[in-house]
Amino acid sequence: MDRHALARRTRREAADLLATEGYFAPRIRLERADTGPWTVIVEPGERAHIASVDIRFVGDLAGDQGDRPARRQALRAAWSLQPGQPFRQADWDAAKARLLDAVSARDYAAARLSASKAEVDADAARVALSLTIDSGPPFTLGPLKVSGLCELPADLVARYSVLLSGERYDRDRLLSFQSTLQNAPQFASVVVDIDRNPTQTEGVPVRVEVSEAQPRRVGLGAGYSTNTGYRGELSYADVNLAGRGWELYSGLRLEQRRQTLFADVFLPPAQARHRDSLGVAIERSDLQGLRLTSQALGLARATSRDGIDRQWTVRYQHERRQPDGAPSSRSDTLSVNWTWLQRQVDDLLDPRTGYVLELQAGGGARALLSEQNFLRLYGRMVRYQPVRGRDVLIARAELGATLAPSRDGIPQDFLFRTGGAQTVRGYAYQSLGVREGEATVGGRYMAAASIEYVHWFRSDWAVAAFVDAGDAADSRQALDVKLGYGAGLRWASPAGPLALDVAWGRATGSMRLHLGIAVAF
């Protein structure tokens, strides 16, 4: 290409580039030299501003029935380019895309941009914008049309659905349904959509395309915590048990101070409203001089809605207690339990702002296979408050009470002990409670609180300082709050923040090392 042709191309491309930024009357000249490079001199001139915006709607949305006028008004009010603003082609394209997206997100799945114009008055540096959105007809949903199922039961997808035949099209509801299915362990991938044919809008089938995940998994794990020592675990899961889409999770967990064998079976949800499960567990532990052996069988119904998890459980439990230096005992308990849990945090694994609130109530009656009448109440709140960039202030409070004439015959799960990582640091795990012989056993009352400041000096490393306080006792008057304070390190691992803390227990006058997960949900 000769230099004169290159010069013409340079002028043209420079003018086109300036026009995208709103400069429609630039002066571009070249200073030519017989030898050496030529110089391009650009005077962009005055930047054009938006003079007017004309947004029109055709199709069903242009009607006056129902909420259509209010919706048109809201769409125009949300338009981002207003008269007086500088014109940029990228902003103009983005604004049109956002408007079309807002129209097509609800009711009008086949909406399209039927016309758009940016009329430029280069001399006056003004741009008049106009566009027309054709909403097309409104869509309503029909039945599910599922493809890709091989081994899973045919009704499994429908059990997760909250979509109703005949309801108005709403893209967010389809995406929510898709996300719910994607989170189900039976599916490797999920796509939920409809056909956007403007001639077929009534009862449009909802297409659900799935691919099945590997149903069976075997896992091996190992770990360590200062609470229960070294740990090894063997787990087995089958998310299509008996070809019914039931989920089996089972495992054998061997810790130095506690051993657990468990199996839980979760049934598919019932029209996404609730989920039932059945579980059995055998556990042995030797903590603070108290040797426990328990066998439990439970039935549960769980619901999750608007960020709140609720669960009802009926549980039968046989327990044998062997405290050092005191007589052993046995108990059988049939209990009904309720849990309410709300998590309003920015990140479940690494929260920086928000709160967690948990409430529990449960108990048994002598008339229904329990040793005595009792009611256990428990509440916990954790607050995460961001401070100075990535730093976080964490405040925690716990209260528990078991209402009963005495603790005799009540399983340890319905009483309270505290101390250790994630509770009152500076004291051994579950060492704060009621002395029985040479052992520490659970009491009927518990109170604990903590304040912690975490400073992230790198993206994945932080230091923390904390003060913990708490105790468990068999009466409110016997509660003697124990203080623990110290400092530690935090590492943002893929599984969540890990904590290594050194804490001083004021009541014992000793230092303890604590290792565990820094977030307890």
Side-chain angles (χ1 to χ4, degrees):
M1 181 181 296
D2 63 49
R3 301 184 75 180
H4 294 285
L6 181 60
R8 290 192 298 271
R9 177 179 173 181
T10 300
R11 285 195 185 95
R12 184 173 63 253
E13 291 181 351
D16 291 343
L17 181 61
L18 287 167
T20 65
E21 294 298 315
Y23 298 98
F24 296 103
R27 295 181 61 190
I28 304 171
R29 66 181 189 275
L30 278 78
E31 291 187 352
R32 306 177 183 181
D34 294 334
T35 60
W38 291 6
T39 303
V40 180
I41 300 175
V42 178
E43 296 178 16
E46 183 181 357
R47 189 174 202 174
H49 287 68
I50 298 171
S52 62
V53 179
D54 181 19
I55 301 175
R56 300 183 182 184
F57 298 96
V58 297
D60 182 81
L61 183 56
D64 294 326
Q65 302 85 4
D67 65 348
R68 292 168 180 80
R71 187 171 177 185
R72 293 196 302 270
Q73 182 179 359
L75 290 168
R76 289 190 175 102
W79 176 257
S80 58
L81 299 183
Q82 298 299 322
Q85 291 181 228
F87 175 84
R88 293 181 68 248
Q89 184 66 42
D91 294 341
W92 170 229
D93 292 339
K96 290 186 290 184
R98 283 194 295 269
L99 178 60
L100 180 60
D101 184 72
V103 174
S104 63
R106 183 163 53 90
D107 295 323
Y108 306 109
R112 63 187 182 90
L113 181 66
S114 60
S116 71
K117 184 187 298 184
E119 294 186 87
V120 178
D121 184 341
D123 294 334
R126 294 160 62 88
V127 181
L129 304 179
S130 63
L131 68 157
T132 302
I133 296 288
D134 183 357
S135 70
F139 283 65
T140 59
L141 301 183
L144 299 180
K145 185 178 180 181
V146 182
S147 62
L149 292 178
C150 297
E151 303 296 330
L152 293 169
D155 68 338
L156 181 61
V157 170
R159 294 181 68 116
Y160 281 95
S161 176
V162 294
L163 302 176
L164 302 176
S165 184
E167 75 169 85
R168 296 161 61 177
Y169 166 79
D170 188 322
R171 185 180 60 200
D172 287 343
R173 281 178 57 79
L174 293 187
L175 290 176
S176 177
F177 179 35
Q178 177 176 296
S179 177
T180 298
L181 289 175
Q182 189 66 71
N183 290 331
Q186 292 91 347
F187 304 111
S189 64
V190 180
V191 176
V192 177
D193 207 348
I194 65 170
D195 291 327
R196 290 167 169 76
N197 185 344
T199 64
Q200 298 177 359
T201 62
E202 295 290 333
V204 180
V206 178
R207 290 187 289 105
V208 183
E209 301 171 4
V210 302
S211 61
E212 297 181 355
Q214 175 61 244
R216 299 173 185 85
R217 296 187 300 274
V218 177
L220 292 172
Y224 174 80
S225 78
T226 50
N227 284 347
T228 54
Y230 292 100
R231 179 182 73 251
E233 184 169 348
L234 171 66
S235 63
Y236 173 77
D238 184 350
V239 297
N240 190 22
L241 185 65
R244 296 176 176 268
W246 297 355
E247 299 171 28
L248 167 67
Y249 299 99
S250 60
L252 173 63
R253 185 179 301 123
L254 301 176
E255 300 169 283
Q256 283 182 279
R257 305 182 187 95
R258 183 168 56 198
Q259 300 82 43
T260 307
L261 176 66
F262 68 92
D264 296 301
V265 176
F266 293 85
L267 305 186
Q271 281 70 53
R273 290 192 299 269
H274 61 260
R275 193 166 196 199
D276 298 328
S277 61
L278 166 69
V280 295
I282 301 173
E283 182 173 288
R284 296 178 58 187
S285 64
D286 187 351
L287 296 166
Q288 300 302 317
L290 176 62
R291 293 184 298 280
L292 286 175
T293 303
S294 66
Q295 301 88 36
L297 171 66
L299 298 171
R301 170 163 290 184
T303 61
S304 182
R305 185 176 180 181
D306 300 328
I308 298 176
D309 299 328
R310 301 174 179 87
Q311 180 169 288
W312 285 95
T313 305
V314 177
R315 184 183 186 193
Y316 178 78
Q317 178 176 348
H318 173 76
E319 179 181 273
R320 182 182 180 188
R321 300 166 63 252
Q322 294 177 284
D324 291 346
S328 61
S329 62
R330 300 171 184 264
S331 64
D332 294 284
T333 304
L334 179 66
S335 62
V336 177
N337 307 280
W338 170 81
T339 300
W340 186 96
L341 177 62
Q342 182 179 31
R343 302 182 184 95
Q344 292 289 341
V345 293
D346 59 333
D347 188 325
L348 288 177
L349 291 181
D350 187 13
R352 303 293 173 87
T353 183
Y355 65 90
V356 177
L357 178 61
E358 181 179 8
L359 301 173
Q360 296 179 7
R366 188 186 298 272
L368 295 174
L369 303 180
S370 294
E371 300 291 326
Q372 68 161 299
N373 301 327
F374 68 93
L375 174 64
R376 180 185 186 272
L377 304 173
Y378 172 79
R380 175 176 68 103
M381 184 170 185
V382 184
R383 173 69 184 179
Y384 299 90
Q385 181 65 43
V387 181
R388 295 196 312 165
R390 297 188 66 222
D391 291 4
V392 186
L393 183 67
I394 305 171
R396 173 180 57 86
E398 291 181 273
L399 289 173
T402 299
L403 308 180
S406 73
R407 67 176 187 274
D408 297 336
I410 300 177
Q412 289 295 298
D413 287 347
F414 292 88
L415 299 171
F416 301 96
R417 289 189 287 178
T418 190
Q422 302 176 3
T423 56
V424 184
R425 287 161 287 190
Y427 301 87
Y429 180 53
Q430 294 197 352
S431 63
L432 302 180
V434 178
R435 296 297 294 179
E436 185 174 316
E438 300 175 6
T440 300
V441 302
R444 288 178 292 163
Y445 296 91
M446 183 273 296
S450 174
I451 189 80
E452 178 173 321
Y453 188 89
V454 182
H455 169 64
W456 292 90
F457 60 90
R458 289 180 51 181
S459 61
D460 55 351
W461 285 97
V463 292
F466 55 85
V467 177
D468 298 341
D471 192 23
D474 211 33
S475 67
R476 292 189 299 272
Q477 295 77 13
L479 284 172
D480 182 15
V481 174
K482 310 295 193 302
L483 285 177
Y485 37 84
L489 286 173
R490 302 289 180 268
W491 174 48
S493 76
L498 297 182
L500 177 63
D501 293 323
V502 177
W504 176 264
R506 184 174 178 180
T508 60
S510 62
M511 193 82 71
R512 297 194 71 89
L513 184 70
H514 299 281
L515 175 64
I517 297 176
V519 179
F521 281 163

